[in-house]
Amino acid sequence: MKKIELIIRPEKLELLKGILTRYEYSGLTVMSAMGCGHQKGNSDEFEKLGIEINLLPKLHVMTVVWDEDLDDILAEIVDKLSTNTVGDGKIFISNVEDVVRIRTGEHGKNVL
């Protein structure tokens, strides 16, 4: 299993949910976030107004997928969520050794 953590533009959440649904994943956690990357939170719109913005609104989304689905899901996320401009976000991928459903104590595949 792989954990995918995404930092995305808020307006891209529905597209992301649609991608995950097509691969039959319905579980995700979404948190509001503020952040900046290489652009340091600057965007042309703010610069024109003479306003310096350090942090921009983002969403932090976390989900877990099966290894065999990872590459296809990542390819579709990059294709559908990219605006080809600074600030599109990042994807972080890590291994998940196991998952446990708290209610029943079940482990593994049946939990996702």
Side-chain angles (χ1 to χ4, degrees):
M1 291 177 282
K2 301 290 185 194
K3 177 168 68 169
I4 304 174
E5 292 186 74
L6 305 101
I7 307 298
I8 62 171
R9 296 174 183 269
E11 65 270 16
K12 298 294 184 174
L13 180 60
E14 292 304 316
L15 285 172
L16 177 61
K17 286 171 30 182
I19 292 167
L20 294 173
T21 299
R22 278 193 290 287
Y23 289 90
E24 299 182 5
Y25 294 101
S26 59
L28 64 137
T29 301
V30 180
M31 297 164 274
S32 293
M34 298 290 288
C36 64
H38 292 292
Q39 89 279 11
K40 297 179 178 59
N42 295 322
S43 68
D44 292 338
E45 297 85 36
F46 294 117
E47 287 178 24
K48 289 175 189 171
L49 298 173
I51 301 172
E52 185 175 324
I53 300 293
N54 294 4
L55 302 173
L56 296 174
K58 301 289 180 183
L59 292 179
H60 180 179
V61 182
M62 191 277 297
T63 191
V64 176
V65 302
W66 298 115
D67 292 355
E68 58 267 19
D69 294 332
L70 180 67
D71 290 338
D72 292 337
I73 289 172
L74 291 177
E76 192 166 348
I77 288 170
V78 169
D79 181 56
K80 299 283 196 271
L81 272 62
S82 173
T83 64
N84 288 317
T85 57
V86 173
D88 280 341
K90 299 273 189 301
I91 303 171
F92 302 93
I93 302 144
S94 54
N95 291 317
V96 174
E97 292 183 29
D98 198 3
V99 60
V100 178
R101 179 175 287 133
I102 294 173
R103 177 175 50 89
T104 63
E106 291 174 88
H107 288 253
K109 269 195 164 197
N110 296 331
V111 176
L112 286 186

